[in-house]
Amino acid sequence: MNRTFITNLILLVGLNLLVKPFYLLVVEAEIQNRVGAESFGSYFALLNFSFILNILLDLGTTNWNTRHTAQNEVVRSHHLSGLIALRLLLALAYFVLCVIIGWILDYSAWQMWLLTVLAFNQVLASGVLFFRSYLTGLHLFRHDSIISVLDRLLLLVSMSLLLWGGITGTQPFQLEWLVYGQTAAYFITLVVAAAMVLRHSERLQWRWNGKLIRGILYQSAPFTIMSFLSMVAYRIDGVMLERLDSPVEAGIYAMCYRIFEAVNMIAYLFAVLLLPMFARMLKRNEPIANLLQLSFKVMFAGVFTIGCAAFFFGETLLGFIYDHHLQEATPVFGWLMASVICFSLQYIFGTLITAAGDLRPMIYMALGAMIYNILLNTFYIPQFGALGAARASFFTQFMVLLAQIMVVRDRFSIGNFKSTLLRAVLFATASLAVGFIFSTPTISRLPVAYNIGFFAVCCVLLMAITKILDWKGFIQLMKSRD
């Protein structure tokens, strides 16, 4: 199982590292440079708003699919057809609710149109995730890896042509092009994903199975509640920034949040792989300590290195990507990268709790996180703008991570985790010391780009020295059998 995790993680992360960060940090960042912080800030707020309500498109069916398919290893026709019919009804309800709340928030006519298209995009994206749940549950990780990057690859190509291909002449880039490009990319990906699933399913027979649907919704209700509360806590900051302060502050926040999202995308892949593995191992009463510790060490080593780099070299790193608002964005960047460390580690512990099936602790944590985050944003945003939202994010994610660690410690046999934590502390302390040395001009007088490179190399060496990543054990896992 460990070898399966590692080999598929390499494939999944490798493909996503080639596509998604490049799209976010090069293509989408250039779009924001072209259209400006105010215009992109409005788009960012509307995008977050569309995300908050998208749990209505799913109601926990994707998570149920992953666990059910992983445990039964088959795609049943009556399950698939009934769930597709249900999701079409949910899509209608989602559209209506988006329009009503958008009207209550007094969005302009342009914002309402943009929200409508973004909502449709969420329907398509949710459909992609639904079909991916079957691929993941069947352990068709290579198929899932292709689908995980296809939409971004299509969007990357189309937006690159519009930005640098010369096909628009002298016409400035229009923000609407990005939204319409997303529509086309999601639609094509949805068709490909559906075709992959249908190849491995029984012959499809369209019928409504009310009893099955009610059973799925009942079983998924805890996950639905948890997902909604978590999404509000995760996405409300962008909406509140635009409403309580200004689109410009939302745009500055989006500059840093884009990098947060790029790191988070890679971290999310851990959860995609770990959920069916943990679910199957728990069902078979197999020990999960080795897999838990391995995934924690891999995740911590990666995200802490990125967080340190953001803290010590933030303005330089942002300057590689953006043209404006660098000084205002730098402290926001530091706080958000500290937040992403906590958020990424939640994908390890939260996924284990979710795989066990008892979501009550996760629901309580999500409810607390939502309330705490909204209160912090209400207090911080009017005073500090984007910086206040970033601080609220860090404090919220740190509290949730601590709560998840305590739950996992009490409910599961996690082996000698103190040794793993000790290595993590040693690695973190040494990384901070190295970052301080290379970021202090009186100590290191090299150009900043060289300092960043040397810092990264030193962090890799520290991973080996502290054995936060045991390379010998890693190679043995790759050679071992499942």
Side-chain angles (χ1 to χ4, degrees):
M1 189 62 71
N2 282 337
R3 180 171 176 263
T4 301
F5 171 70
I6 290 294
T7 54
N8 287 292
L9 178 64
I10 290 174
L11 175 64
L12 196 59
V13 171
L15 288 174
N16 280 269
L17 279 175
L18 288 173
V19 177
K20 291 185 177 180
F22 184 83
Y23 165 76
L24 283 172
L25 304 181
V26 178
V27 175
E28 192 174 280
E30 179 60 21
I31 291 174
Q32 180 165 353
N33 285 333
R34 300 270 184 105
V35 303
E38 182 175 2
S39 179
F40 199 92
S42 293
Y43 160 79
F44 178 71
L46 293 169
L47 181 64
N48 280 304
F49 174 76
S50 69
F51 269 112
I52 288 174
L53 296 177
N54 77 353
I55 188 59
L56 285 177
L57 298 170
D58 183 83
L59 292 185
T61 55
T62 296
N63 179 263
W64 183 88
N65 263 336
T66 300
R67 296 181 64 226
H68 179 80
T69 308
Q71 293 171 354
N72 296 277
E73 303 182 26
V74 67
V75 178
R76 301 202 179 278
S77 172
H78 64 287
H79 288 179
L80 180 58
S81 60
L83 287 174
I84 290 175
L86 171 66
R87 293 173 72 90
L88 290 175
L89 294 176
L90 295 176
L92 179 61
Y94 168 77
F95 266 111
V96 172
L97 193 57
C98 279
V99 171
I100 293 174
I101 297 179
W103 176 76
I104 293 173
L105 293 176
D106 196 29
Y107 285 135
S108 65
W110 176 79
Q111 288 175 313
M112 287 299 295
W113 166 247
L114 210 61
L115 177 61
T116 302
V117 182
L118 287 171
F120 180 66
N121 291 349
Q122 287 298 315
V123 173
L124 297 176
S126 178
V128 173
L129 290 176
F130 171 69
F131 285 110
R132 282 185 63 189
S133 69
Y134 282 106
L135 298 176
T136 304
L138 293 170
H139 280 214
L140 297 173
F141 294 120
R142 288 174 176 79
H143 294 70
D144 181 59
S145 298
I146 294 172
I147 297 300
S148 73
V149 299
L150 181 58
D151 60 326
R152 292 297 174 185
L153 181 61
L154 293 171
L155 195 58
L156 186 154
V157 172
S158 60
M159 293 301 104
S160 295
L161 289 173
L162 291 173
L163 287 167
W164 301 294
I167 62 177
T168 61
T170 59
Q171 185 178 3
F173 189 94
Q174 304 296 310
L175 187 60
E176 290 83 353
W177 297 348
L178 170 61
V179 180
Y180 301 150
Q182 291 171 351
T183 305
Y186 284 136
F187 179 78
I188 294 172
T189 305
L190 177 62
V191 172
V192 175
M196 287 182 175
V197 171
L198 291 175
R199 285 183 57 191
H200 293 86
S201 69
E202 301 171 346
R203 185 175 180 180
L204 198 61
Q205 298 178 351
W206 293 98
R207 61 179 181 177
W208 177 265
N209 190 329
K211 183 178 180 180
L212 171 68
I213 297 300
R214 286 193 298 270
I216 293 175
L217 292 180
Y218 178 79
Q219 294 179 46
S220 300
F223 184 81
T224 301
I225 296 171
M226 181 196 71
S227 298
F228 173 73
L229 296 174
S230 299
M231 187 61 70
V232 173
Y234 180 43
R235 293 284 183 174
I236 197 66
D237 44 9
V239 179
M240 293 181 70
L241 262 174
E242 192 268 343
R243 292 287 93 182
L244 296 179
D245 198 301
S246 68
V248 174
E249 284 294 309
I252 292 172
Y253 191 77
M255 292 169 59
C256 309
Y257 194 87
R258 180 171 294 113
I259 304 174
F260 175 101
E261 191 173 16
V263 177
N264 184 52
M265 278 183 175
I266 305 303
Y268 171 73
L269 300 178
F270 275 67
V272 172
L273 289 173
L274 286 173
L275 181 61
M277 290 182 177
F278 277 143
R280 188 170 295 183
M281 293 171 76
L282 291 172
K283 181 181 179 181
R284 297 174 177 176
N285 293 318
E286 298 175 358
I288 51 87
N290 288 339
L291 183 58
L292 177 67
Q293 293 186 33
L294 172 66
S295 56
F296 173 84
K297 289 188 287 187
V298 172
M299 179 76 78
F300 184 85
V303 295
F304 195 84
T305 299
I306 294 171
C308 278
F311 179 78
F312 290 111
F313 310 104
E315 187 169 354
T316 301
L317 292 173
L318 290 173
F320 290 151
I321 305 172
Y322 301 109
D323 300 331
H324 310 290
H325 303 289
L326 296 180
Q327 289 186 344
E328 302 97 313
T330 298
V332 178
F333 185 45
W335 280 98
L336 272 182
M337 289 302 99
S339 176
V340 83
I341 296 173
C342 301
F343 196 85
S344 297
L345 293 175
Q346 291 175 34
Y347 282 124
I348 307 298
F349 300 101
T351 299
L352 176 57
I353 298 171
T354 302
D358 183 6
L359 294 181
R360 284 175 296 179
M362 296 292 289
I363 292 174
Y364 296 145
M365 285 184 276
L367 177 61
M370 182 191 72
I371 296 173
Y372 187 54
N373 196 41
I374 290 175
L375 291 175
L376 286 178
N377 276 307
T378 303
F379 175 76
Y380 278 139
I381 287 176
Q383 297 186 65
F384 306 108
L387 179 59
R391 289 177 178 174
S393 175
F394 170 73
F395 292 134
T396 301
Q397 301 309 327
F398 180 73
M399 295 300 294
V400 173
L401 176 61
L402 287 181
Q404 288 185 357
I405 291 174
M406 288 189 289
V407 171
V408 168
R409 182 196 61 186
D410 293 339
R411 295 195 172 201
F412 301 94
S413 176
I414 59 177
N416 185 20
F417 208 81
K418 290 183 179 179
S419 175
T420 299
L421 289 178
L422 178 60
R423 296 182 190 280
V425 171
L426 289 174
F427 171 75
T429 303
S431 298
L432 289 171
V434 171
F436 176 78
I437 292 172
F438 282 110
S439 65
T440 304
T442 57
I443 300 177
S444 179
R445 300 187 180 184
L446 294 171
V448 178
Y450 286 95
N451 286 329
I452 296 174
F454 284 127
F455 169 76
V457 171
C458 287
C459 284
V460 173
L461 293 175
L462 288 172
M463 292 177 193
I465 293 171
T466 61
K467 294 187 177 180
I468 186 71
L469 287 184
D470 186 350
W471 299 107
K472 184 178 179 180
F474 181 89
I475 294 173
Q476 290 176 346
L477 280 176
M478 292 297 294
K479 293 181 179 178
S480 65
R481 296 183 178 181
D482 295 343

